[in-house]
């Protein structure tokens, strides 16, 4: 399914060229370490890394390697990371701001946690993943001054399109937070963060 994401995020660039799946990937001189949840791996062959930011797709390790491993539900996961801009870190967008940035998509649930904010959307998943369930999850967080967007898409009817998707996207947020260096405070103006969110973090 990561191959299907290529049409949304563009041609891969700046990633390893051997196509081997990775459990984690270091970005911006190690300021952000994108770590995959248990059973999922980074699809390095479809990684996009440009001056405007990085988009890191993930799928189950089994689907990427063709080998038996930890059995997990099929999913297309993406992590978008903006470069640090200015001395002051951006504010982490609240769930309501994430929902507003994707209007008119209807939010089903909005959850603000100390480290990340999450939104469950009723529509739009099938626009990113052909044959995917309309329901999908998005999240936002800040690590070391980098604005980060997370998304989880699943096949039609998958439990990951519902409540189980929250478990996966929150595990993803925790994995990034634990793998990255101690994060700086994430407080300042929300206006710039909201604008950046709409323009980059959720392309397509």
């Amino acid at each position: 399914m990561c191959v299907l994401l290529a049409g949304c995020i563009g041609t891969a660039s700046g990633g390893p060229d051997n196509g081997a799946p990775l459990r984690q990937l270091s970005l911006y001189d190690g300021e952000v370490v994108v770590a995959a949840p248990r059973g999922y791996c980074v699809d390095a062959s479809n990684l996009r890394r440009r001056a405007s930011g990085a988009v890191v797709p993930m799928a189950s390790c089994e689907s990427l390697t063709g080998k038996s491993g930890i059995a997990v539900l099929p999913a297309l996961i993406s992590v978008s990371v903006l470069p640090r801009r200015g001395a002051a870190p951006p504010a982490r967008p609240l769930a309501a701001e994430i929902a507003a940035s994707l209007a008119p998509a209807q939010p089903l649930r909005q959850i603000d946690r100390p480290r990340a904010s999450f939104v469950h959307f009723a529509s739009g998943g099938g626009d990113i993943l052909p044959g995917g369930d309309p329901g999908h999850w998005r999240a936002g967080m800040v690590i070391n001054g980098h604005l980060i967007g997370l998304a989880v898409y699943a096949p039609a009817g998958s439990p990951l399109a519902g409540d189980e998707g929250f478990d996966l996207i929150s595990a993803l947020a925790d994995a990034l937070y634990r793998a990255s260096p101690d994060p700086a405070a994430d407080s300042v103006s929300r206006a710039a963060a909201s604008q950046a969110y709409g323009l980059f973090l959720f392309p397509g």
Side-chain angles (χ1 to χ4, degrees):
M1 283 189 290
C2 272
V3 174
L4 297 175
L5 184 62
C8 304
I9 66 173
T11 304
S13 64
D17 59 6
N18 57 12
L22 306 170
R23 289 287 297 134
Q24 63 181 37
L25 180 71
S26 179
L27 298 173
Y28 298 104
D29 297 323
E31 292 182 343
V32 177
V33 178
V34 177
R38 184 175 182 270
Y40 296 90
C41 289
V42 172
D43 180 12
S45 64
N46 284 303
L47 168 69
R48 186 181 78 184
R49 185 155 46 184
R50 299 175 180 171
S52 59
V55 180
V56 182
M58 303 178 187
S60 71
C61 298
E62 286 189 333
S63 69
L64 292 173
T65 64
K67 299 178 182 179
S68 298
I70 299 172
V72 293
L73 291 172
L76 175 59
I77 301 170
S78 70
V79 178
S80 304
V81 185
L82 281 174
R84 181 195 293 270
R85 293 193 174 101
R92 171 172 56 87
L94 299 176
E97 294 168 327
I98 297 173
S101 74
L102 287 171
Q106 180 65 38
L108 299 173
R109 293 178 63 191
Q110 300 180 40
I111 304 169
D112 287 306
R113 295 285 173 85
R115 295 178 179 175
S117 296
F118 307 87
V119 181
H120 185 200
F121 286 96
S123 61
D127 297 334
I128 302 298
L129 177 64
D133 199 283
H136 66 288
W137 286 88
R138 311 246 185 168
M141 60 193 302
V142 172
I143 295 179
N144 287 321
H146 296 271
L147 189 61
I148 299 172
L150 315 175
V152 170
Y153 310 97
S158 170
L160 293 178
D163 290 344
E164 291 189 26
F166 175 71
D167 296 335
L168 178 56
I169 201 168
S170 59
L172 174 63
D174 288 344
L176 265 70
Y177 200 90
R178 289 194 304 267
S180 301
D182 290 341
D186 58 353
S187 60
V188 291
S189 166
R190 295 193 172 278
S194 296
Q195 181 181 21
Y197 229 70
L199 291 176
F200 174 77
L201 292 183
F202 300 135

